[in-house]
Amino acid sequence: MVVRIPAVLAAAELTTLRDQLGVASWTSGSATAGFQSVAVKDNQQLPHGDPLARECGALIVAALERNPLFLSAALPRHVFPPMFNRYENGMAFGAHVDNAVRQVPATSFRLRTDLSATLFLSAPADYDGGELVIQDTYGEHRVKLPAGDLVLYPAGSVHRVEAVTRGARVASIFWVQSMVRDPIARELLFELDDSIRELSAAGTARAPLVRLTGLYHNLVRRWGDL
Ligand code: NI
């Protein structure tokens, strides 16, 4: 399931992030590439532990925690501290699959990557190329979103970032370990939650809505892990 989550960041937050990242010290992205991806990864990123990256990351995590669509789609148990990357002058990231396990730098904490996320920070008009291309059973999804929008996709899917041929593409990327490990169960819950929300907005009678909501929570109890 590939899910777009619009306007994760408010305009003021986006401006703050852009201002801060505009003065950041970018380094080669190959430093954190795994065995498989080092040959195809050509971008820049902020080093782990960079205070600016940590500050910007905290702002993003706070925005995610109050976003109902993100919470419903991801059912997050752990969110990896957001990283920041930048592509310009033909930089690209060839086809790869993200590592199944990620250790949070400077800690002993490891997280299973169920979902990958890209939060677009540059406006699409500011660069050419740079599409995130995600392969799934339905074919290829070419994703290039307005600044402040997020895409969530299965971390196990083959994906790539096309070469940026004009301007610069700045984004934040991170991974989520979900309470619900099974992607099909997670998708069913997302669908159910969305239907309940829609029925509720349409003014459906309260009693069946309470039962449906109970069904949702009981399925989370059955399928979820904390
Ligand atoms: Ni990746």
Side-chain angles (χ1 to χ4, degrees), residues 58-205:
L59 189 151
I60 291 172
V61 170
L64 294 171
E65 282 170 357
R66 56 170 196 263
N67 188 295
L69 191 55
F70 172 78
L71 297 175
S72 178
L75 291 167
R77 182 177 181 195
H78 301 297
V79 176
F80 193 89
M83 296 165 60
F84 295 88
N85 61 29
R86 186 172 189 272
Y87 294 77
E88 63 176 358
N89 296 328
M91 290 177 182
F93 196 161
H96 67 280
V97 173
D98 293 346
N99 288 355
V101 176
R102 283 267 168 183
Q103 182 153 355
V104 176
T107 73
S108 58
F109 184 75
R110 289 183 299 170
L111 147 164
R112 185 186 65 237
T113 61
D114 294 319
L115 294 158
S116 296
T118 296
L119 175 62
F120 289 78
L121 297 174
S122 300
D126 290 347
Y127 61 99
D128 289 336
E131 293 86 356
L132 171 64
V133 184
I134 303 158
Q135 294 175 22
D136 70 7
T137 49
Y138 297 107
E140 286 194 345
H141 301 264
R142 298 180 69 82
V143 184
K144 186 170 182 174
L145 299 180
D149 285 17
L150 178 93
V151 63
L152 265 182
Y153 59 100
S157 60
V158 175
H159 56 275
R160 65 181 190 272
V161 176
E162 301 280 50
V164 169
T165 54
R166 177 188 63 86
R169 172 200 193 268
V170 176
S172 173
I173 60 150
F174 55 89
W175 298 273
V176 179
Q177 179 173 333
S178 179
M179 286 188 278
V180 176
R181 180 181 190 160
D182 176 7
I184 295 172
R186 203 185 313 124
E187 192 168 346
L188 292 172
L189 287 169
F190 182 49
E191 184 63 27
L192 179 57
D193 190 35
D194 191 46
S195 305
I196 292 171
R197 214 188 302 270
E198 211 169 298
L199 284 170
S200 180
T204 303

Side-chain angles (χ1 to χ4, degrees), residues 20-73:
Q20 296 208 293
L21 296 171
V23 296
S25 311
W26 299 94
T27 58
S28 167
S30 59
T32 58
F35 167 76
Q36 163 223 199
S37 58
V38 71
V40 292
K41 183 178 183 185
D42 178 21
N43 65 5
Q44 299 176 314
Q45 65 189 30
L46 293 189
H48 285 303
D50 182 307
L52 195 137
R54 231 180 309 188
E55 206 176 304
C56 293
L59 189 151
I60 291 172
V61 170
L64 294 171
E65 282 170 357
R66 56 170 196 263
N67 188 295
L69 191 55
F70 172 78
L71 297 175
S72 178

